[in-house]
Amino acid sequence: MGGPGWQAKAPAPLATALVLLLGLLGGCSTPQNVRAGGTAVESATTVGVTPVTREPISRDLTLSSELVPFQEIDVYAKQSGYVRDLNVDYGSRVEKGQLMATLEIPELEAQLMQDAAAIKRDGEQVTRAQNQVASLEAQHKVYHLQAERMKGVVEKQPGLLAQQEIDNAVGKDLEAEAQVEAGKSALEAAQSQLEQAKAKEQQDRVLFDYSQIRAPFAGVVTQRYANLGALMQAGTNSSTQAMPLVRLSQDEIFRLVIPVPESYVKYIKVGDPVEVRVPSLDKVLPGKVARLAATVNADTRTMHTEVDVPNPSRFLIPGLYAEAKLRLEHKNGALVVPLQAVNQAGPQATVLVVDGAGRIQERKVALGLQTATDAEVISGLGEGDRVVVSDRGALKAGMEVKPQIVQLEQFQSGKDQ
């Protein structure tokens, strides 16, 4: 009787195993939708899309270089002498015309004393000559009046005076007049000698003024070469090994010299704004294109271009590495799509668009301005069209899909350029 009872319990484990197997197979199948009539179809594939919008778009060029002072010179002495006073050192900031050092030049000091003595001597000579001329003129006046009176008497009363007396009076008048002219010539010579002495003194004074070394422009001292008491050779003769006093850099404005490649030369012009980034300081500064070489270097095929970078706060220093971002092209209100939506097969570009019925369309497009992330569409798309930006490997034209709007960070950054 135990046999039938055993047979009734045996099928239970087998039924359980079959149910589990059917459940696993059902979990691995593709999700299905059921149409009217009970027919099962595959569900639509979800794809990421973004709408075509009108946005500003720009194409930029970033080049790297070093910041250099607007002007930087070694300051030399114009006259040889010993450093008596030194008023600057490393890092000293000076204004234009500020006294940086004073030289002691004994030879010029002695020469100035000689010049002063010569001017005094020649001035006395002029005074004597002036007195002499005044005396001669007074004497000439007396002789001239005597001669004129005698002539008047003879005209009124002929024969009253002897001709000899008249001739003597006229002769003394002419002689006195000649002496006056000679005195005036001597006075002019003395005055000329005085002017020469004054010119010599002025020349020596100018040379002596070079004993005061002043800043030719406002800036900062970046190097000091001389100490107190050092002999400074005049820097006017190339044959001497003259040593400069200091090196002076103008740091209120900097130059950023960048080599613009030949293919971009046509986009660059004087006055263009430039965004200058200094990575070491984590700062972005405004600049502008100030100068162009207007020629392409034959060796590097680049054009020498200078960007002026203001430095009113004096936090920039020479030699810092900087990046210059130049705007080459810019358009407002352009139809813009992200580059990841574009398929480039040779010269022809295409995009996948999801139409109003939810089906894939392949559109041929003509592209214009392009950046690293975006592209301008000249033709082939309209504002509001939904372009596919997700994986397009399994998508084909005519396929029914489920579009889902996605936000692309790089797309947004491209719009901001």
Side-chain angles (χ1 to χ4, degrees):
M1 299 298 290
W6 177 81
Q7 290 177 357
K9 296 178 180 179
L14 180 60
T16 302
L18 290 173
V19 171
L20 292 174
L21 179 61
L22 290 174
L24 292 173
L25 293 174
C28 296
S29 63
T30 302
Q32 295 177 339
N33 294 329
V34 180
R35 292 179 178 174
T39 303
V41 297
E42 292 186 358
S43 62
T45 303
T46 300
V47 295
V49 298
T50 189
V52 179
T53 57
R54 290 193 176 275
E55 301 287 344
I57 185 172
S58 301
R59 185 159 70 104
D60 301 322
L61 173 66
T62 300
L63 298 171
S64 301
S65 185
E66 289 185 358
L67 288 168
V68 297
F70 192 77
Q71 296 185 85
E72 188 173 43
I73 62 169
D74 287 334
V75 181
Y76 288 85
K78 186 68 176 291
Q79 292 293 319
S80 299
Y82 297 94
V83 179
R84 185 176 64 192
D85 299 313
L86 185 60
N87 304 324
V88 295
D89 209 328
Y90 286 91
S92 296
R93 194 166 299 282
V94 297
E95 298 298 328
K96 182 178 180 180
Q98 181 175 331
L99 181 64
M100 295 191 295
T102 303
L103 302 182
E104 184 177 356
I105 311 177
E107 297 84 358
L108 279 179
E109 293 178 0
Q111 185 61 51
L112 286 174
M113 295 177 64
Q114 293 178 11
D115 293 338
I119 291 175
K120 182 179 179 181
R121 180 197 64 220
D122 293 338
E124 293 173 351
Q125 290 286 352
V126 170
T127 301
R128 284 194 295 270
Q130 289 173 340
N131 295 334
Q132 182 69 20
V133 169
S135 176
L136 292 173
E137 286 180 340
Q139 187 175 5
H140 171 251
K141 185 177 182 180
V142 172
Y143 289 143
H144 182 70
L145 289 174
Q146 289 178 354
E148 290 298 320
R149 282 197 295 266
M150 287 183 178
K151 290 179 181 180
V153 170
V154 170
E155 290 177 357
K156 293 179 180 181
Q157 298 180 5
L160 182 62
L161 295 176
Q163 188 62 38
Q164 182 65 34
E165 293 182 6
I166 297 174
D167 293 341
N168 289 338
V170 172
K172 289 180 179 180
D173 181 22
L174 294 176
E175 182 181 2
E177 184 178 359
Q179 289 178 348
V180 169
E181 294 301 323
K184 289 182 178 180
S185 297
L187 175 59
E188 291 178 358
Q191 289 174 335
S192 177
Q193 187 68 27
L194 177 61
E195 292 300 321
Q196 291 180 13
K198 288 182 177 180
K200 179 65 167 56
E201 191 270 346
Q202 184 178 2
Q203 179 184 4
D204 292 338
R205 177 66 62 183
V206 169
L207 295 177
F208 185 75
D209 287 343
Y210 286 124
S211 64
Q212 294 185 334
I213 302 178
R214 298 183 178 274
F217 52 79
V220 61
V221 175
T222 59
Q223 183 70 264
R224 177 176 61 82
Y225 300 100
N227 296 311
L228 287 174
L231 174 61
M232 301 290 297
Q233 296 289 342
T236 57
N237 192 343
S238 60
S239 63
T240 62
Q241 297 297 323
M243 177 181 64
L245 176 72
V246 295
R247 176 170 294 172
L248 184 63
S249 298
Q250 184 178 1
D251 61 348
E252 64 183 4
I253 186 171
F254 274 78
R255 298 177 191 253
L256 189 62
V257 181
I258 53 177
V260 175
E262 180 181 4
S263 56
Y264 298 107
V265 165
K266 62 182 179 180
Y267 299 108
I268 308 300
K269 62 181 181 298
V270 173
D272 286 347
V274 180
E275 182 182 285
V276 179
R277 180 175 176 270
V278 185
S280 60
L281 301 180
D282 194 24
K283 289 184 177 294
V284 178
L285 309 171
K288 67 176 181 179
V289 176
R291 286 161 294 279
L292 301 174
T295 183
V296 174
N297 185 285
D299 296 328
T300 62
R301 309 309 303 171
T302 59
M303 180 177 68
H304 178 97
T305 305
E306 292 188 358
V307 176
D308 282 355
V309 184
N311 185 35
S313 300
R314 306 298 199 278
F315 58 83
L316 295 178
I317 58 176
L320 286 179
Y321 174 82
E323 298 174 350
K325 184 178 180 182
L326 297 92
R327 177 152 293 181
L328 303 179
E329 297 178 89
H330 178 78
K331 290 185 179 180
N332 289 315
L335 283 177
V336 178
V337 296
L339 278 179
Q340 68 185 75
V342 179
N343 294 319
Q344 192 77 39
Q348 182 60 59
T350 61
V351 296
L352 297 181
V353 179
V354 179
D355 62 16
R359 294 187 179 278
I360 295 291
Q361 294 182 2
E362 185 176 24
R363 300 266 189 94
K364 294 181 179 181
V365 294
L367 302 180
L369 179 60
Q370 296 184 37
T371 70
T373 56
D374 306 319
E376 175 196 11
V377 178
I378 298 176
S379 63
L381 290 177
E383 187 175 0
D385 286 346
R386 298 174 297 178
V387 296
V388 177
V389 292
S390 59
D391 184 14
R392 301 180 297 277
L395 302 180
K396 296 181 180 179
M399 181 181 295
E400 185 176 350
V401 295
K402 181 180 179 182
Q404 181 176 351
I405 301 295
V406 296
Q407 297 293 331
L408 299 178
E409 293 297 327
Q410 64 178 5
F411 184 41
Q412 296 299 329
S413 65
K415 293 176 183 178
D416 295 337
Q417 291 182 345

